[in-house]
Amino acid sequence: METWVDVPEGSGFGVENLPYGVFSRRGGPPRVGVAIGDRVLDLAGLAEAGLLTDRGWFAAGTLNSFMSAGRPVWQATRERLTALLTGPEHRGRVEPHLVPLSDADLRLPFDVADYVDFYSSRDHATNVGRIFRPNAEPLPPNWLHLPIGYHGRAGTVVPSGTPVVRPCGQRRSEDGPVFGPSLKLDIEAEVGFVVGVPSALGQPVPTAGFRDHVFGFVLVNDWSARDIQAWEYQPLGPFLGKSFATSISPWVVPLAALESARTAPPPQDPEPLPYLRCDEPWGLDLTLRIELNGHVVSHPPFATMYWTAPQQLAHATVNGAALRTGDLMASGTVSGPERDQRGCLIELTRDGREPLELPDGRRRAYLEDGDTVRIQATASGPGGAPIGFGEVTGTVLPASR
Ligand SMILES: O=C(O)/C=C/C(=O)CC(=O)CC(=O)O
Ligand SMILES: [Ca+2]
Ligand SMILES: [Mg+2]
């Protein structure tokens, strides 16, 4: 597929992708756009010019209204945008609605309804199980039977670029609990899916309902204070150790852009219960890349995730819990089997015992004030075209006291 837009070589934003976001230009009103090359196509502008159907979806500060419109609308919009961006006859009327990315202020793409975080990488769960519970089996007995998760704090999901203030809290010391800034501030590189179409209370959504409810995927950094977490989390799970901030990428990659990236997940043994069985393979050939202060420290492979997104969705609703537009469900930390494939510092440095030696001569056990973390990801698209997820970044600010 050829677009008349000049897409730089290696850009993950070719016409095969068309990820959705919300942007504003020079203090102007927010609007929905799709990324193409190093530009944003202004969908509200296209609609005003009569080039695109809009039922109040695009001159909006969030994607929620468009996401709730459902799959037939998502499909028709994608087909129309593809036609506009590939047909040379449309160029003259469409080109005025392309905004340079450098002029676009990217917002949180959707209002987050509920936020769930899973724990679906077997390598990650095994590695952190050994660190947090050295005297127990690394995988809890339920791990192979259900995708473990917890409910997080939707109101502290922030867009890429938002600074992260080092959290304060209680941590264990030899003399009892002490209060202060976390000494073990960490990241978690994850991929999340976003719900578009709600479901009714009392009605589970089966794995086969995934495509009808889920709009797309984003990158997630689930910032984690390991010392606060280790002291507070038993028996009810993560609380203040993770609720201070969770960052997401500004672009939502639609499911339709990920068809070529779909791959069989690792075999599941024991076979899951019937409600968790899935006819379609929803592993994704997607590689993450984590940079710390500009140095690449890891390449986590998403295809190794044990539990897939449709299984997570089916599990999260099997008790009848309803879905709302804007629900964000994150995969859990993405870690592969190799040392340089781990998705967080607690694994990469074995809880600080083996600090990273960065090429600039500095060492890192956990994050220090002023550190910047950047997570990117690329999936394989049709004919090998890269499908980019953009990036999620954040810089650590000192604790406020
Ligand atoms: O095993 C534990 O006690 C803790 C695990 C985590 O902190 C991971 C978590 O938040 C879920 C995930 O990202 O995989
Ligand atoms: Ca997490
Ligand atoms: Mg978090």
Side-chain angles (χ1 to χ4, degrees), residues 9-25:
E9 181 75 27
S11 163
F13 294 154
V15 73
E16 305 79 9
N17 189 349
L18 303 182
Y20 290 87
V22 174
F23 74 101
S24 59
R25 190 181 188 186

Side-chain angles (χ1 to χ4, degrees), residues 22 69 97 134 137 147 167 227 251 258 264 271 370:
V22 174
H97 304 287
E137 279 296 314
D227 40 4
W251 298 111
L258 293 170
E271 188 179 14

Side-chain angles (χ1 to χ4, degrees), residues 117-120 124-125 128-129 132-133 150 188 190 222 224 226 229 233 238 242 331-333:
D117 191 21
F118 286 96
Y119 184 46
S120 292
H124 170 72
V128 295
F132 277 120
R133 297 172 289 278
Y150 68 93
E188 291 190 328
E190 309 193 15
D222 180 24
S224 298
R226 300 303 182 185
Q229 177 185 354
Y233 83 109
K242 286 170 181 283
S331 58
T333 310

Side-chain angles (χ1 to χ4, degrees), residues 115 222-223 242 245-246:
Y115 164 46
D222 180 24
W223 304 88
K242 286 170 181 283
T246 303

Side-chain angles (χ1 to χ4, degrees), residues 9-228:
E9 181 75 27
S11 163
F13 294 154
V15 73
E16 305 79 9
N17 189 349
L18 303 182
Y20 290 87
V22 174
F23 74 101
S24 59
R25 190 181 188 186
R26 297 198 190 98
R31 17 192 62 199
V32 170
V34 300
I36 175 88
D38 47 21
R39 286 182 272 179
V40 190
L41 182 58
D42 175 353
L43 302 197
L46 283 185
E48 281 155 23
L51 294 167
L52 185 66
T53 302
D54 183 5
R55 306 254 179 277
W57 302 315
F58 301 133
T62 77
L63 289 172
N64 292 51
S65 163
F66 178 60
M67 296 197 307
S68 71
R71 187 142 74 106
V73 167
W74 309 337
Q75 272 173 342
T77 304
R78 185 172 171 84
E79 278 166 23
R80 177 65 179 156
L81 293 174
T82 303
L84 291 174
L85 290 167
T86 53
E89 70 279 17
H90 299 298
R91 180 170 185 165
R93 293 208 297 158
V94 173
E95 206 159 26
H97 304 287
L98 286 172
V99 175
L101 259 174
S102 51
D103 283 358
D105 175 21
L106 301 175
R107 310 281 194 99
L108 191 69
F110 53 93
D111 286 335
V112 183
D114 287 302
Y115 164 46
V116 168
D117 191 21
F118 286 96
Y119 184 46
S120 292
S121 159
R122 188 171 186 162
D123 290 301
H124 170 72
T126 305
N127 290 335
V128 295
R130 287 199 177 107
I131 293 167
F132 277 120
R133 297 172 289 278
N135 303 316
E137 279 296 314
L139 280 189
N142 54 357
W143 201 94
L144 292 169
H145 297 276
L146 55 83
I148 296 178
Y150 68 93
H151 283 97
R153 196 166 181 95
T156 57
V157 177
V158 296
S160 176
T162 306
V164 172
V165 175
R166 180 179 298 275
C168 288
Q170 287 196 26
R171 62 174 185 275
R172 197 168 11 209
S173 84
E174 281 167 15
D175 309 318
V178 293
F179 180 85
S182 169
L183 304 177
K184 292 190 174 183
L185 183 57
D186 199 354
I187 58 163
E188 291 190 328
E190 309 193 15
V191 177
F193 64 83
V194 186
V195 170
V197 175
S199 67
L201 191 64
Q203 297 289 316
V205 176
T207 56
F210 184 72
R211 286 174 186 280
D212 291 328
H213 289 275
V214 171
F215 179 73
F217 285 86
V218 291
L219 292 177
V220 178
N221 183 352
D222 180 24
W223 304 88
S224 298
R226 300 303 182 185
D227 40 4
I228 298 172

